[in-house]
Amino acid sequence: MRLHVLLLIIFNFSFSQDIVEKYANTITSSDLKDLLYVYASDEFEGRDTGKKGQKLAVNFLREFYKKNKISAAKNTNNYFQEMKLIMINGEKLNTENVAAYIPGSEKPDEYIIITAHLDHVGIENGEIYNGADDDGSGTVAILEIAEAFKEAENNGHRPDRSIVFLHVTAEEIGLIGSRYYTDEDPIVPLKNTVTNLNIDMIGRTDPERPKRNREYIYIIGSDRISQDLHDINHEVNDLYLNIDLDYVFNADDDPNRFYYRSDHYNFAKNGVPAIFYFSGTHEDYHQPTDTVEKIQYDLLELRTKLIFHTAWEIANRKDRIKSN
């Protein structure tokens, strides 16, 4: 019975395993580490919204996409979606989301949007809050996923649907960048957005998690709007990676309310099926000690591959995933 089910899964998938795994295997812990050692360095000064370090960060992201010949997303200003914020204290901030994309070959007007927030809390009391896990880990994961999709495109395996790589700003001060995108200026129509895969803190392990296995990821929100989305994520994991998918924080009565605390929520509240990938908080959460040497790069690679596989399958399957 188990073999029969597995064969059905394999034959329902869009490409041979060899092709998909070829591109998944371009995602490596060494490349993730190299990117993160720059992105979460002291030079970027904690990437506080609107400040010097955040400007260095968005330029770093833009230059990465340019170097890899991944196009600026439609309706951006050379990769930037600019916004002006007026804070409660009257401070005016100029900031920007960063968006690149690979157009689909068969259904270019249907979009998978992969998000991570590019900002962190900056400098407080003279100490730099580097935010290596929060959310440097998600940021570099997107870069590696984008590079994998681009290599596939270069080899004649362009995705059927378009993939948008969206780095949102001002998450730490209220999910502002993603809310601006969904509520004020979606660069592609929300009705054409098939799913949002959101990555926020996937580089460490949760010291409070009762199960002590390392190879896990918290999955939040996957079944709330689309059972299809939940099932696809589960099936690609079974087929390729066998990570422990932990749904403990997906419960409606989760006291942490993580479902409402990252950028996927602004997509989900607009009816876009979404998954929040998360490895949990730890003693360095929102502390100056959230630094690059504490990231577990083998786990970051494994989790990034899961997100790539899920995005690949959703982008290339015949039918658009359905909402519940």
Side-chain angles (χ1 to χ4, degrees):
M1 180 65 178
R2 174 67 181 166
L3 178 60
H4 176 66
V5 171
L6 184 59
L7 286 172
L8 282 176
I9 291 170
I10 291 170
F11 288 128
N12 281 331
F13 277 26
S14 306
F15 282 78
S16 76
Q17 285 178 261
D18 288 345
I19 291 173
V20 181
E21 289 189 290
K22 174 183 178 180
Y23 301 114
N25 287 336
T26 67
I27 297 167
T28 67
S29 58
S30 60
D31 286 349
L32 289 159
K33 184 176 182 178
D34 287 346
L35 289 165
L36 191 57
Y37 263 73
V38 177
Y39 195 75
S41 66
D42 285 353
E43 180 186 2
F44 284 52
E45 298 182 353
R47 308 184 303 277
D48 193 4
T49 298
K51 303 296 174 60
K52 173 190 170 185
Q54 187 249 303
K55 301 303 181 187
L56 292 174
V58 297
N59 282 311
F60 173 83
L61 297 173
R62 177 163 65 183
E63 290 308 309
F64 176 90
Y65 288 117
K66 285 184 174 180
K67 178 182 176 182
N68 286 280
K69 296 182 169 54
I70 300 170
S71 300
K74 294 185 289 186
N75 302 312
T76 62
N77 179 14
N78 194 20
Y79 298 90
F80 289 172
Q81 182 186 37
E82 296 155 336
M83 63 198 80
K84 298 180 185 296
L85 308 180
I86 300 177
M87 309 309 293
I88 293 174
N89 63 5
E91 183 182 10
K92 296 179 180 179
L93 298 176
N94 294 316
T95 189
E96 48 279 304
N97 296 331
V98 181
Y101 92 125
I102 293 175
S105 59
E106 301 295 328
K107 300 173 183 177
D109 294 328
E110 293 184 14
Y111 301 87
I112 290 87
I113 298 184
I114 306 176
T115 52
H117 69 88
L118 61 88
D119 62 307
H120 196 53
V121 298
I123 300 174
E124 294 185 0
N125 299 318
E127 291 192 278
I128 299 173
Y129 287 60
N130 298 102
D133 195 21
D134 184 13
D135 187 25
S137 61
T139 300
V140 299
I142 289 186
L143 298 181
E144 278 289 280
I145 291 168
E147 198 169 18
F149 271 109
K150 183 63 179 178
E151 184 161 338
E153 180 190 32
N154 291 343
N155 291 333
H157 296 128
R158 200 163 121 199
D160 287 354
R161 294 177 176 86
S162 298
I163 314 286
V164 177
F165 310 101
L166 177 63
H167 303 264
V168 292
T169 189
E171 189 269 356
E172 298 287 4
I173 54 176
L175 313 183
I176 291 173
S178 57
R179 187 172 72 237
Y180 179 85
Y181 178 97
T182 59
D183 295 10
E184 297 187 42
D185 188 23
I187 61 177
V188 300
L190 291 177
K191 68 179 181 180
N192 293 352
T193 301
V194 174
T195 190
N196 169 231
L197 305 179
N198 180 50
I199 316 169
D200 195 350
M201 298 180 63
I202 62 164
R204 300 274 296 268
T205 55
D206 181 353
E208 301 299 321
R209 185 170 179 262
K211 291 180 71 174
R212 304 312 299 163
N213 57 324
R214 294 178 68 246
E215 295 184 352
Y216 76 92
I217 187 73
Y218 293 125
I219 302 294
I220 303 173
S222 61
D223 61 352
R224 296 205 183 195
I225 297 174
S226 172
Q227 187 65 38
D228 269 1
L229 176 60
H230 175 89
D231 292 345
I232 290 165
N233 188 66
H234 189 84
E235 288 169 4
V236 298
N237 180 60
D238 282 354
L239 189 57
Y240 296 108
L241 297 157
N242 202 31
I243 303 171
D244 184 0
L245 304 183
D246 192 329
Y247 298 98
V248 65
F249 295 131
N250 192 45
D252 288 337
D253 60 353
D254 168 33
N256 299 282
R257 292 177 59 81
F258 286 128
Y259 179 70
Y260 305 95
R261 289 172 54 184
S262 191
D263 294 296
H264 65 283
Y265 179 67
N266 283 317
F267 288 88
K269 75 180 186 184
N270 284 285
V272 175
I275 298 178
F276 173 19
Y277 295 91
F278 178 52
S279 58
T281 58
H282 41 72
E283 63 274 14
D284 301 308
Y285 174 62
H286 280 194
Q287 298 298 319
T289 47
D290 179 9
T291 51
V292 290
E293 69 276 4
K294 295 181 179 179
I295 298 297
Q296 299 179 46
Y297 291 95
D298 61 330
L299 297 182
L300 180 54
E301 175 189 318
L302 193 67
R303 294 158 178 167
T304 303
K305 285 180 174 177
L306 170 63
I307 300 159
F308 169 77
H309 276 293
T310 300
W312 179 284
E313 178 56 28
I314 294 168
N316 290 298
R317 67 193 288 108
K318 178 181 177 183
D319 297 322
R320 176 174 172 164
I321 62 171
K322 297 179 177 65
S323 296
N324 298 337

